[in-house]
Amino acid sequence: MYKVYFITFGCKVNHYETECMKSLFRGSGYEIVEEMTEADAIVINSCTVTSSGDSRALAALRKARSAMPQAVIALTGCYPQANREEAADLPEADIIAGTKNRAHIAELVGGCLENRSRVVELSDYSSDDVFEPLKCTRFDSNTRAFVKIQDGCNQFCSYCMIPFARGRCRSKPVEVLREEVQAIAAGGVKEIVLSGINLAFYGREWGLDLADAAEICAETAGIERIRLGSLESEMMSEELLMRLKAMPQFCPQFHLSLQSGCERTLKAMNRKYTAAEYLALTERIRSIFPDCSFTTDVMVGFPQETDEDHAESVRFIEKVGFSKVHVFRYSRRKGTRADKMDGQIPESVKTVRWQEMTAAADETREKYLSSLVGKTVSVLFERENSTEFHRGYAPDYTQIKISRKNPEKSLRNQIISVIIEEYGHDFCLGRAVDDIY
């Protein structure tokens, strides 16, 4: 039996796709191993959102080749798809495959293990591409499952390579999704997280929308929670929000992609909304979901961003009151419009702005966590922190810990009501309502 080891970079979609590839290898008789030194083959699933993502993937490739000179190494994912010529010339990889046709990855690795022939399988996306036939019913965690239902992007933000790495928007067929979710529920998973590259575009080619996918999950016996991945604010219609509200399983945590709170910068980024429209949406969502939370991503140091532009973005973060913000520096990407813009910001300035934005984000997070003290929330417990705590997540995706009074008792995959008593930097502490745990 051949053994295969996986290295994954990037977003939740990438991690889902790795789980799908693991399923393909298991189905072909491979053993998935947790130590690279045990592997006959190594699969590296790469990310290309930032230049540092490229660097990490390439460093992992070189390290794997140095450590395992006899292993078959496959490089797949967004980096080789977006950088086909560069990737095809990488001597450390035996197999180069992008984000297309990964349903055949186990066959490619098997062929290379048998005859050691190098394979480069990279092709352009076209307008008639369909959703990649990958699905997964087994996850490393049996409490929450990420399910990719959408791929590709039509937005062409001026800084982004993803349309080149993922192609145009396309959706997982409804019946395929239904079958996958039923199999996941049969495995005991209670929470489904719907994910995609541009998730809110789900089903548009068939006259459907994201609520249709969520309703399939809600109709599936055993699924007690439904959560959404990253969303584009301009796609969040009133009808969609009201249909989500009607689902008792829906977790009102909204990860609304922002990038900047400055009107001028948003326009330069080719984002499809204004800061005012984004703010109005958060206010409308709060009126429908009083206990909701907002998380987001914010970029600093975009070309031509002035000190005042940056300050405007910081003020916007404070105004919305996000529960969590991922702050990152702008990264130049060859082939994008932003890479050709004048007024590139020095790295030293990006670092200062990152520090300032992170400080503002930390303040809004602390304010949000403090507002939860005294509230009762339902918590899906996922693991124990040694013998000290049970740990899980509330519907708003706040991490909750309760004392583990009985070291022999596990609360894994149980949903329990918890009274929040205090908060820390990145979590809240509480006690079970019935206080028997």
Side-chain angles (χ1 to χ4, degrees), residues 251-304:
C251 294
Q253 175 228 345
F254 295 88
H255 188 92
L256 298 176
S257 181
L258 177 61
Q259 308 308 333
S260 176
C262 170
E263 300 283 13
R264 195 178 77 89
T265 304
L266 285 172
K267 185 175 181 180
M269 289 177 169
N270 196 35
R271 301 294 286 176
K272 305 302 189 292
Y273 52 84
T274 66
E277 289 168 342
Y278 186 104
L279 181 61
L281 175 63
T282 64
E283 293 170 347
R284 179 57 182 146
I285 291 175
R286 280 196 171 107
S287 72
I288 299 172
F289 301 92
D291 295 323
C292 72
S293 67
F294 294 108
T295 57
T296 199
D297 307 293
V298 174
M299 183 189 301
V300 297
F302 190 75
Q304 302 176 14

Side-chain angles (χ1 to χ4, degrees), residues 309-365:
D309 292 336
H310 169 66
E312 183 181 335
S313 193
V314 171
R315 289 193 297 270
F316 189 85
I317 293 297
E318 296 167 341
K319 185 182 297 184
V320 173
F322 292 99
S323 65
K324 192 168 187 178
V325 181
H326 171 225
V327 184
F328 62 103
R329 303 164 181 84
Y330 164 73
S331 176
R332 295 184 73 165
R333 315 300 291 128
K334 291 181 179 179
T336 63
R337 281 178 286 165
D339 180 57
K340 301 174 184 177
M341 289 181 179
D342 295 331
Q344 298 289 330
I345 306 299
E347 291 300 319
S348 58
V349 176
K350 291 181 188 177
T351 297
V352 171
R353 291 180 182 174
W354 180 87
Q355 292 169 340
E356 293 172 349
M357 185 67 78
T358 298
D362 287 344
E363 286 186 19
T364 64
R365 178 152 182 77

Side-chain angles (χ1 to χ4, degrees), residues 143-147 181 184-185 188-194 213-214 216-228 247-253 376-382 391-400 413-418:
T143 60
R144 182 192 308 137
F146 290 87
V147 179
V181 172
I184 289 170
V189 171
K190 291 184 177 178
E191 180 175 310
I192 295 287
V193 185
L194 297 176
I216 287 172
C217 299
E219 294 163 0
T220 303
I223 299 302
E224 298 185 38
R225 287 189 169 188
I226 302 162
R227 200 180 295 279
L228 303 180
M247 300 177 212
Q249 302 97 325
F250 178 67
C251 294
Q253 175 228 345
T376 299
V377 297
S378 65
V379 180
L380 174 58
F381 284 93
E382 298 188 355
R391 193 188 80 177
Y393 289 88
D396 67 352
Y397 206 57
T398 297
Q399 183 182 171
I400 307 292
N413 211 25
Q414 296 184 48
I415 297 178
I416 294 169
S417 293
V418 172

Side-chain angles (χ1 to χ4, degrees), residues 2-237:
Y2 285 124
K3 299 178 180 180
V4 59
Y5 176 77
F6 284 84
I7 302 171
T8 306
F9 297 94
C11 65
K12 296 296 190 296
V13 169
N14 263 23
H15 285 268
Y16 168 85
E17 291 166 345
T18 290
E19 293 301 322
C20 291
M21 287 189 282
K22 287 181 180 179
S23 294
L24 291 171
F25 276 95
R26 290 188 186 101
S28 297
Y30 289 78
E31 179 185 351
I32 311 301
V33 295
E34 299 300 321
E35 297 293 335
M36 184 166 63
T37 54
E38 300 176 6
D40 302 295
I42 300 165
V43 178
I44 301 172
N45 193 6
S46 63
C47 172
T48 195
V49 167
T50 64
S51 57
S52 60
D54 290 350
S55 298
R56 286 193 294 270
L58 293 175
L61 173 62
R62 290 189 292 268
K63 182 178 180 181
R65 176 51 71 207
S66 175
M68 301 292 290
Q70 300 305 314
V72 166
I73 301 179
L75 176 65
T76 185
C78 291
Y79 169 76
Q81 187 68 43
N83 304 276
R84 291 189 290 278
E85 291 184 7
E86 294 176 19
D89 291 335
L90 292 170
E92 297 90 348
D94 302 292
I95 298 168
I96 305 290
T99 55
K100 298 185 68 176
N101 304 319
R102 281 172 296 182
H104 307 296
I105 186 69
E107 298 171 24
L108 295 178
V109 170
C112 195
L113 282 167
E114 293 299 326
N115 57 42
R116 294 289 163 168
S117 58
R118 192 169 191 269
V119 177
V120 177
E121 189 170 288
L122 296 168
S123 58
D124 292 333
Y125 278 103
S126 64
S127 59
D128 59 353
D129 281 312
V130 297
F131 193 86
E132 187 178 27
L134 290 178
K135 62 180 180 179
C136 185
T137 57
R138 174 177 170 178
F139 292 84
D140 290 338
S141 167
N142 66 356
T143 60
R144 182 192 308 137
F146 290 87
V147 179
K148 172 187 163 187
I149 63 171
Q150 186 278 337
D151 207 343
C153 182
N154 300 342
Q155 300 295 79
F156 287 92
C157 298
S158 61
Y159 54 83
C160 188
M161 287 295 295
I162 294 304
F164 306 100
R166 290 281 181 170
R168 303 298 175 266
C169 287
R170 54 206 184 278
S171 307
K172 175 172 286 184
V174 168
E175 289 309 314
V176 175
L177 172 61
R178 191 187 309 278
E179 178 184 328
E180 184 174 4
V181 172
Q182 288 173 348
I184 289 170
V189 171
K190 291 184 177 178
E191 180 175 310
I192 295 287
V193 185
L194 297 176
S195 61
I197 298 301
N198 210 324
L199 180 62
F201 279 75
Y202 176 80
R204 285 171 63 88
E205 62 265 55
W206 309 313
L208 304 176
D209 69 11
L210 185 54
D212 292 286
E215 286 167 355
I216 287 172
C217 299
E219 294 163 0
T220 303
I223 299 302
E224 298 185 38
R225 287 189 169 188
I226 302 162
R227 200 180 295 279
L228 303 180
S230 181
L231 300 163
E232 296 296 316
S233 62
E234 71 271 21
M235 300 302 296
M236 301 301 291
S237 69

